[in-house]
Amino acid sequence: MTLLDRARRPFAVGCLAWFTITCTPPGAAPNRASNEGSRSDAVGRAATSLGSSPAPVASLDPVSAPPSSASASVESALPPLDPSGKHVVHSRHGVVSSVEVNATRAGISVLEAGGNAVDAAVAVGYALAVTHPSAGNIGGGGFLLFKAKGQETVAIDFREVAPRSLTQAGFDAMIRAGAHDARASGVPGSVKGLNLALARFGRLPRAKVMAPAIALAKLGHALGERQAQVLKWSWSVLEHDPASRQLFGAAKGPLARGATLVQPALATVLERIAKEGDSGFYTGPTAASLVGYMQKHGGWISAQDLLDYQPVLRRPLTVRYHDFDLDVMSPTSAGGVALVQILAMLERTHAEQWSPDSAEGLHLFIEISKRAHAERRFHVADPESLTDYDDAARRARWADPNTWLRPFPISMTEVTPAEKLDPLYAAAKAELDHTTHFSVVDGEGNAVSCTMTLSGGFGAKYTIGELGVVMNNSVAAFGTVGENTPAPGRRMTSSMAPTIASYQGQLALVLGTPGGDTIPSTLAQVLRQLIDGHMNLEQSVDAPRVHHGFVPDLLRSESLRPLRRATRLQLEKLGHVFAEPNLAIGDVNAVMVLGEDAYGYADPREGGVALGVSTP
């Protein structure tokens, strides 16, 4: 049976969080390229403002654009990437990078015990359910990419599924209520997804892989700074749920940084899963408590919904960006679709001729992103509703840069209003999100890129007290227009887009990020900084980011990492309208691989940690 045949068949398991496994360097990572001196002549000459740019054409029409110049000959199989950076970690024996230190350590401990990248990733995923409860979960879902050394990448879709009793009227009522109750929860997929990955591709027993998560829940752990901050932001809603208030609250409000969070009920559930596998969650006492909560509080998840849930093996989307071949999560990942389209359009329009952080380079990127996000919002749906022929046609459409560039050529002198790109613009709604990503590379060259989500921060803002499980509000991720509309048993699309890049057939990059609709934009910008801008790994992740998600027709930026004032003024002159800035956009956990060396870096935006295995 081929991988494509298997990709159409459902399997019983799911994935949960987004983490990256990295290694601790014996010293500073080597600087393989000078950031200032390694740019191509075209990029080096690119101006940082439109006023002094090298005569850009008024309309950039990629349909008739000349072919790109031949790539410089490559002297070795090592990708032209710079792994250096003050906080980059290095190892030849395995690297893990995630948003939370205890979860990263869980992955490292499993690698040190002889596990491979999948074993470590599953350990991180379960640990994040304990230590990063706003997004890590066993009450939500996610996507996982696994690439064994020298093999094709396999994608596992363990996104949540709408309950069979979902109705349009019920959906509308749930949205009006703010998606903060049991009606907002889809059937969780994380447990079956993680277990599927472990059963098919791991090598250690489930109990050993889950032991760190169980210990963290049973014995407690100190709440991290980022976790305490997100808890504080969500407290105004969480405090109205008795179980959440008891679990996450203190005498005068939410638990603060450094407070010990002990979760005995969650430890019991994890022990059941470790002992019984899927049955420890989807049947028996855990399932009975979950369904009982739903019946009591108006939720729609039934015992049959839990029994019927299956994760699915899928074929990733692929795109070539310069000399790099990228495997990206396929639908139900709409974010993967947007990322593939962004990169294809950047390649066709020869974006490398402008520096990624120049006004010209940013204008082109923003206009391309706007078009790709229109596709993401309206033209991606659960692939189970498609025939093989339709699926192939969609993939061809997404890989073709002219899908959007032919009918809507990009002008380098003015913006294209979003409302002109799609008639559904006026009806579009913003989505809720809170996700987490982790990346893992082991000493054998295997890699995992995994993103997990509860949809909103702390999901639907309630905890099933008997289980200690925070539940998702993924049903709210359905749209009111386009193809991603609610239906019983349907998977809702997601912007999560775990990604693995290869160079000349060898693993080169493992990366991903949380951030809802900003995910494709974030990943594309990091790739541009690495590949087009020749920045090192740390600089590429730390660089300022922007985002245009098509709706609303506003450009988002970061307050902690603002654009240069001159660049912002040039973008405003072109017609870009800035929204109030986000504190930050995205939280990338990345691993770079150069031959036998792995380099990990955790985005400082959410205080993540990258570590490496120091000995085999």
Side-chain angles (χ1 to χ4, degrees):
M1 179 177 289
T2 67
L3 178 59
L4 179 57
D5 291 331
R6 295 199 305 268
R8 305 298 299 179
R9 296 183 61 193
F11 290 82
V13 197
C15 178
L16 183 67
W18 173 234
F19 61 96
T20 303
I21 295 180
T22 61
C23 311
T24 319
N31 187 345
R32 299 183 62 89
S34 167
N35 184 53
E36 294 303 320
S38 60
R39 295 187 177 190
S40 66
D41 290 341
V43 174
R45 290 195 303 267
T48 57
S49 67
L50 288 176
S52 57
S53 64
V57 293
S59 180
L60 193 59
D61 183 0
V63 176
S64 58
S68 58
S69 59
S71 302
S73 61
V74 180
E75 296 181 357
S76 73
L78 291 181
L81 298 171
D82 183 350
S84 62
K86 182 179 179 180
H87 300 100
V88 172
V89 300
H90 164 258
S91 175
R92 288 192 165 193
H93 310 298
V95 179
V96 177
S97 177
S98 86
V99 71
E100 200 277 328
V101 61
N102 292 290
T104 297
R105 289 171 178 163
I108 290 294
S109 70
V110 167
L111 288 177
E112 291 175 340
N116 64 13
V118 171
D119 296 312
V122 172
V124 174
Y126 275 119
L128 286 169
V130 179
T131 64
H132 192 61
S134 63
N137 70 85
I138 58 173
F143 301 134
L144 182 149
L145 296 183
F146 169 58
K147 184 173 181 61
K149 185 175 182 179
Q151 302 295 317
E152 293 182 357
T153 299
V154 177
I156 301 178
D157 179 345
F158 55 98
R159 182 65 159 145
E160 303 93 318
V161 170
R164 293 290 178 182
S165 59
L166 175 67
T167 64
Q168 184 66 51
F171 173 82
D172 294 339
M174 178 271 296
I175 292 295
R176 289 194 297 270
H180 291 158
D181 58 43
R183 296 173 297 174
S185 296
V187 184
S190 291
V191 171
K192 281 193 172 180
L194 292 176
N195 288 354
L196 174 61
L198 185 65
R200 291 184 66 88
F201 307 114
R203 67 167 63 126
L204 296 183
R206 185 172 54 246
K208 191 174 187 67
V209 169
M210 293 186 65
I214 293 170
L216 287 164
K218 184 179 292 186
L219 303 177
H221 73 283
L223 198 65
E225 179 178 2
R226 176 65 180 183
Q227 289 69 36
Q229 183 181 50
V230 178
L231 177 59
K232 183 178 180 180
W233 290 341
S234 302
W235 190 246
S236 62
V237 180
L238 281 173
E239 66 176 335
H240 297 296
D241 174 58
S244 298
R245 187 170 62 248
Q246 181 178 3
L247 182 60
F248 300 115
K252 297 183 179 179
L255 294 175
R257 175 189 179 187
T260 301
L261 176 60
V262 182
Q263 302 172 78
L266 181 58
T268 298
V269 173
L270 292 172
E271 287 175 328
R272 289 175 188 156
I273 298 168
K275 182 179 180 180
E276 304 171 26
D278 297 347
S279 298
F281 186 87
Y282 293 90
T283 64
T286 300
S289 293
L290 194 158
V291 172
Y293 185 97
M294 293 293 151
Q295 292 172 343
K296 183 178 179 180
H297 295 87
W300 295 314
I301 300 174
S302 68
Q304 193 62 48
D305 286 324
L306 293 173
L307 286 172
D308 288 345
Y309 181 84
Q310 301 289 345
V312 181
L313 284 175
R314 301 200 188 279
R315 182 166 57 97
L317 298 176
T318 59
V319 63
R320 187 170 180 84
Y321 188 64
H322 300 321
D323 294 323
F324 290 82
D325 295 299
L326 285 86
D327 294 318
V328 184
M329 188 66 206
S330 54
T332 48
S333 170
V337 170
L339 178 57
V340 164
Q341 288 196 320
I342 289 171
L343 294 175
M345 286 188 275
L346 286 169
E347 177 95 351
R348 177 60 61 87
T349 55
H350 309 291
E352 70 277 4
Q353 65 186 292
W354 291 289
S355 174
D357 60 356
S358 69
E360 300 97 327
L362 284 170
H363 169 74
L364 178 58
F365 170 76
I366 294 161
E367 288 296 293
I368 285 173
S369 295
K370 195 184 303 183
R371 289 154 173 79
H373 279 281
E375 184 82 17
R376 176 190 67 81
R377 286 182 177 273
F378 304 132
H379 306 295
V380 184
D382 185 346
E384 298 308 306
S385 63
L386 303 176
T387 65
D388 288 347
Y389 177 85
D390 289 337
D391 182 61
R394 296 286 181 100
R395 287 171 177 265
R397 169 185 169 86
W398 297 328
D400 184 358
N402 288 332
T403 295
W404 284 94
L405 293 177
R406 187 185 298 275
F408 302 104
I410 293 174
S411 168
M412 291 300 291
T413 60
E414 62 181 1
V415 303
T416 304
E419 62 182 357
K420 292 186 177 180
L421 297 175
D422 198 295
L424 295 176
Y425 172 83
K429 298 180 66 174
E431 64 185 33
L432 302 172
D433 67 272
H434 198 73
T435 60
T436 184
H437 178 83
F438 52 94
S439 301
V440 179
V441 170
D442 63 27
E444 301 168 23
N446 307 307
V448 171
S449 180
C450 183
T451 311
M452 299 172 72
T453 189
L454 284 170
S455 286
F458 286 94
K461 305 294 194 297
Y462 72 91
T463 304
I464 300 176
E466 295 178 15
L467 306 177
V469 173
V470 179
M471 289 295 289
N472 69 83
N473 67 333
S474 65
V475 175
F478 284 116
T480 55
V481 293
E483 297 186 34
N484 178 42
T485 51
R490 175 178 290 178
R491 275 179 167 82
M492 61 292 297
T493 63
S494 169
S495 292
M496 297 182 291
T499 299
I500 294 177
S502 299
Y503 181 82
Q504 294 187 2
Q506 302 299 311
L507 179 66
L509 291 166
V510 184
L511 71 164
T513 181
D517 68 338
T518 71
I519 289 173
S521 304
T522 295
L523 296 178
Q525 286 172 96
V526 171
L527 289 166
R528 284 200 73 204
Q529 304 287 13
L530 283 168
I531 298 171
D532 296 344
H534 301 280
M535 291 185 178
N536 68 34
L537 179 58
E538 185 169 329
Q539 292 168 331
S540 299
V541 173
D542 287 358
R545 297 172 188 151
V546 297
H547 170 70
H548 197 300
F550 177 72
V551 176
D553 196 356
L554 296 171
L555 181 60
R556 291 154 66 180
S557 58
E558 299 180 293
S559 60
L560 294 181
R561 291 171 173 79
L563 297 175
R564 294 189 297 267
R565 178 172 174 77
T567 302
R568 175 172 176 139
L569 289 174
Q570 290 291 344
L571 290 172
E572 289 176 334
K573 287 180 181 178
L574 286 169
H576 295 283
V577 179
F578 282 78
E580 285 296 314
N582 293 42
L583 194 65
I585 295 176
D587 180 56
V588 174
N589 282 289
V591 178
M592 181 184 292
V593 180
L594 301 176
E596 297 181 355
D597 297 282
Y599 303 85
Y601 186 63
D603 200 324
R605 286 168 173 82
E606 290 194 17
V609 176
L611 296 173
V613 178
S614 56
T615 56

